Amino acid sequence: MAPSIPKVQRAAVIAQTGSKVQVKDDFPVKQPEELAPGECLVRLHCTGVCHTDLHAALGDWPIPPKAPLVGGHEGVGEIVAIGRDTAESPVKIGDRVGIKWIAYSCLNCEQCRKGLEQNCAKAKLSGYTTDGTFQQYVVSWVNCVTPIPEGIDSEAAASVLCAGVTVYRALKYSRTLPHDWVVLPGAGGGLGHLAVQYAKYMGLRVIAIDGGEEKRQLCEKLGADAWIDYTTCKDIVAEVKRIADGKGAHAAVVTTAHPSGYTQAVDYLREGGSLMAVGLPAKAELSASIFFTVFKSITISGSYVGNRQDAIEAVNIAAAGKVKVFYAAKPLKELESVYEDLGKGKIAGRIILQM
């Protein structure tokens, strides 16, 4: 017997870009008979909150979001309906699945065929160009949702679907080998605390950079080999080099939204090092010495979320107990206060909204 689908639901809506969040109890639910082939309806258990969601609410990125907007892109829930005439669906009603930043990609263009589904020209972005996971029921696409395996709770899986996938892919393509040094600016935050764990899983030595006692304790608990507090350290470049054998780090995965995380990296990387650009400051530009970038054979790579395979790998590693998500659970109605804390850099780990 098919589950009962309500006509309306609770959703957190941004009426226009830059306005405050309004939690409504009468937001419409797309009905099963309205789903197009390939679409599915997911009843959400929970959703994560990401700094990207704050950018979407503020509209401070170069590409504007839709408005009105239901934000959110880290949802986990159960499929309750699939569009009529959907052919060869890889998922079925009742499956637990995750909804990511990349809600849809065509899977047939050059970028998709090369594994760069996130760069598909037809991509739909959850909580940005299409309504996302800050609602009880969300429409997604059967070929793009991520199956969630046993061994991981929905709250933890939610954060892995964005923060985890993003840092996992950046580390995966950072050209590092076991025992290499990797620097993680923003290591105590939502992305950073997962990056510490994925890096340790890959056998890397981690230099964690962040500010404050709470974040220091979290990073050291997760296995960071060294800690640098940017609020008290007078010369971060010199300190990284001192820790990393006097030569500098092999790679940096910059998750902080502050531009200084990028400008320092070329200076503290050793010859042949890799700078993986992950964090997205709203208006900052990458400033680096061209001479030393060339002279030191530094590789600078933008790493934008991940594809479907990256997501499956990242979730499976977490489900195997190798990565633990540290989160606090809050109700959907507290989203506006979560945004305020995100903007002030007060949140260690992740925030999960329960439906």
Side-chain angles (χ1 to χ4, degrees):
M1 180 172 153
S4 176
I5 310 297
K7 299 289 186 182
V8 295
Q9 61 174 321
R10 177 170 294 177
V13 183
I14 300 287
Q16 57 185 0
T17 302
S19 64
K20 289 189 177 295
V21 176
Q22 295 179 311
V23 177
K24 299 183 176 182
D25 288 318
D26 59 353
F27 195 77
V29 177
K30 193 170 187 177
Q31 296 300 293
E33 62 272 15
E34 298 173 322
L35 296 172
E39 290 183 340
C40 60
L41 184 67
V42 180
R43 181 174 61 204
L44 289 176
H45 303 154
C46 61
T47 179
V49 183
C50 177
H51 212 282
T52 295
D53 300 318
L54 179 57
H55 287 297
L58 296 174
D60 60 3
W61 276 354
I63 301 173
K66 73 181 284 290
L69 173 70
V70 176
H73 59 276
E74 300 180 352
V76 174
E78 176 186 348
I79 294 178
V80 293
I82 292 176
R84 188 181 297 116
D85 298 327
T86 294
E88 299 182 352
S89 174
V91 290
K92 62 184 185 302
I93 292 175
D95 283 357
R96 186 171 63 137
V97 297
I99 295 166
K100 310 178 292 299
W101 173 244
I102 307 301
Y104 169 86
S105 54
C106 76
L107 305 182
N108 290 312
C109 68
E110 177 187 358
Q111 301 303 328
C112 286
R113 293 194 304 270
K114 288 181 175 180
L116 291 171
E117 298 155 14
Q118 60 272 40
N119 296 117
C120 173
K122 296 181 179 179
K124 299 181 189 295
L125 310 178
S126 291
Y128 206 87
T129 63
T130 188
D131 283 337
T133 58
F134 294 156
Q135 55 184 327
Q136 292 172 306
Y137 289 82
V138 63
V139 175
S140 193
W141 286 263
V142 296
N143 285 317
C144 295
V145 293
T146 300
I148 305 299
E150 297 296 325
I152 185 170
D153 62 44
S154 294
E155 290 77 9
S159 291
V160 172
L161 288 166
C162 177
V165 172
T166 297
V167 297
Y168 171 72
R169 180 182 176 89
L171 288 162
K172 179 179 174 181
Y173 290 97
S174 65
R175 304 191 310 159
T176 49
L177 299 171
H179 206 59
D180 282 354
W181 284 104
V182 62
V183 181
L184 302 176
L191 278 76
H193 89 285
L194 296 175
V196 172
Q197 297 175 79
Y198 281 109
K200 296 306 296 181
Y201 172 80
M202 296 174 179
L204 301 174
R205 291 182 288 175
V206 172
I207 300 173
I209 300 179
D210 216 317
E213 181 62 17
E214 182 182 10
K215 291 185 177 180
R216 179 191 68 80
Q217 291 182 12
L218 176 60
C219 290
E220 292 181 349
K221 179 179 180 180
L222 297 177
D225 298 273
W227 162 261
I228 298 175
D229 191 321
Y230 73 85
T231 66
T232 58
C233 181
K234 295 181 179 179
D235 191 336
I236 289 176
V237 171
E239 185 63 5
V240 169
K241 288 183 175 181
R242 183 192 68 79
I243 294 167
D245 314 317
K247 301 176 181 178
H250 298 85
V253 175
V254 183
T255 64
T256 179
H258 196 279
S260 63
Y262 293 98
T263 56
Q264 294 165 346
V266 168
D267 293 332
Y268 63 59
L269 287 171
R270 69 176 65 188
E271 288 73 11
S274 297
L275 167 55
M276 305 302 293
V278 174
L280 289 172
K283 297 178 181 178
E285 295 182 357
L286 179 61
S287 177
S289 165
I290 295 175
F291 179 87
F292 283 107
T293 299
V294 175
F295 187 72
K296 294 170 66 178
S297 300
I298 300 297
T299 299
I300 301 177
S301 300
S303 186
Y304 175 49
V305 290
N307 60 27
R308 292 175 300 161
Q309 183 60 30
D310 296 326
I312 290 171
E313 291 172 8
V315 170
N316 285 345
I317 290 168
K322 305 301 181 182
V323 170
K324 179 178 174 60
V325 180
F326 287 77
Y327 63 84
K330 296 178 181 290
L332 182 63
K333 66 181 181 181
E334 293 189 22
L335 177 57
E336 184 64 37
S337 66
V338 172
Y339 278 167
E340 292 175 5
D341 288 344
L342 272 176
K344 296 174 182 176
K346 289 185 175 181
I347 294 175
R350 298 297 274 184
I351 297 295
I352 301 297
L353 304 177
Q354 295 178 324
M355 297 297 159

